[in-house]
């Protein structure tokens, strides 16, 4: 029986291929994991943007409904509640500029957007069935403005019979209760 002796260069290289292969495998694993992390982050961002778009669309629907309410009803300042509290039905008076007008839509003490306070806002029933809450709106009466062509600042100033100015504020919610969009418009009638 003959024994062959391995050359000295081959015996020194034994196992190097395994180490190089393991290093390449580790690099590929790190690249794969980071790629999966990036993909899942992008999926979450896309889902959040979709949810925000749904909230925007519901808020837009409520805003248009509030504007249509102003346009289709005869608006009398006595309909508006000066404190936007119980029984206001989403109609708030903000025409008394002497004491300043509270910001009804962001005042935490008034809490006009609380779903339990249905008498402080108007809930709009929309075709969006997959939302966490249907959109809501309030209408604030801001006062009278000068009619077209009138000189601003002339006495007696705008009053009854002149065009009325309103602010409509709408709050829309997406599929998640955390996705909320608030829109406002100023409407003259």
């Amino acid at each position: 029986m003959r024994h062959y002796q391995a050359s000295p260069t081959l015996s020194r290289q034994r196992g190097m291929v395994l180490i190089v292969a393991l290093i390449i495998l580790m690099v590929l694993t790190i690249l794969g994991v980071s790629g999966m992390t990036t993909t899942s982050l992008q999926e979450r961002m896309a889902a959040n943007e979709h949810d925000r778009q749904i909230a925007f669309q519901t808020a837009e629907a409520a805003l248009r409904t509030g504007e249509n309410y102003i346009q289709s009803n005869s608006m009398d300042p006595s309909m508006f509640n000066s404190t936007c509290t119980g029984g206001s039905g989403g109609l708030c008076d903000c025409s008394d500029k002497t004491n300043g007008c509270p910001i009804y839509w962001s005042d935490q003490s008034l809490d006009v957007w609380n779903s339990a306070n249905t008498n402080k806002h108007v809930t709009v029933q929309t075709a969006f069935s997959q939302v966490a809450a249907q959109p809501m709106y309030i209408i604030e009466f801001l006062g009278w403005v000068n009619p077209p062509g009138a000189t601003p600042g002339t006495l007696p100033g705008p009053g009854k019979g002149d065009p009325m100015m309103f602010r409509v504020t709408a709050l829309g919610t997406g599929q998640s209760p955390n996705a909320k969009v608030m829109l406002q418009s100023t409407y003259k009638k």
Side-chain angles (χ1 to χ4, degrees):
M1 190 181 313
R2 288 182 165 185
H3 291 284
Y4 292 100
Q5 186 176 10
S7 70
T9 57
L10 287 177
S11 65
R12 277 187 269 136
Q13 292 181 7
R14 222 176 266 164
M16 260 330 254
V17 172
L18 179 62
I19 292 171
V20 170
L22 286 175
I23 290 173
I24 291 173
L25 186 61
M26 187 169 48
V27 168
L28 290 175
T29 302
I30 290 170
L31 287 174
V33 168
S34 70
M36 287 181 1
T37 303
T38 301
T39 300
S40 77
L41 175 66
Q42 289 175 349
E43 285 179 5
R44 285 194 310 261
M45 288 176 8
N48 287 340
E49 178 60 23
H50 179 259
D51 205 16
R52 193 195 82 64
Q53 285 297 325
I54 290 173
F56 180 84
Q57 295 299 325
T58 59
E60 184 77 21
L63 192 69
R64 297 296 164 240
T65 302
E67 290 173 348
N68 288 339
Y69 179 85
I70 295 169
Q71 185 60 39
S72 60
N73 291 294
S74 68
M75 304 305 281
D76 185 340
S78 64
M79 298 167 49
F80 293 84
N81 188 313
S82 63
T83 57
C84 203
T85 56
S88 69
L91 302 176
C92 308
D93 187 2
C94 200
S95 62
D96 182 12
K97 307 287 192 264
T98 56
N99 296 326
C101 179
I103 303 172
Y104 296 115
W105 46 271
S106 69
D107 190 335
Q108 296 297 321
S109 63
L110 291 175
D111 199 18
V112 296
W113 302 117
N114 187 340
S115 58
N117 297 333
T118 55
N119 58 351
K120 292 185 180 183
H121 63 263
V122 176
T123 302
V124 178
Q125 295 303 317
T126 64
F128 297 100
S129 61
Q130 297 178 349
V131 294
Q134 289 296 320
M136 304 167 268
Y137 72 85
I138 62 170
I139 300 173
E140 297 169 274
F141 172 56
L142 300 177
W144 292 272
V145 293
N146 285 319
T151 306
T154 58
L155 294 177
K160 293 184 189 226
D162 289 330
M164 300 170 79
M165 188 68 75
F166 302 94
R167 177 173 47 221
V168 182
T169 306
L171 179 68
T173 307
Q175 292 175 323
S176 161
N178 297 328
K180 293 187 183 289
V181 171
M182 186 175 290
L183 298 175
Q184 284 187 331
S185 69
T186 306
Y187 196 90
K188 181 171 86 170
K189 180 177 182 183

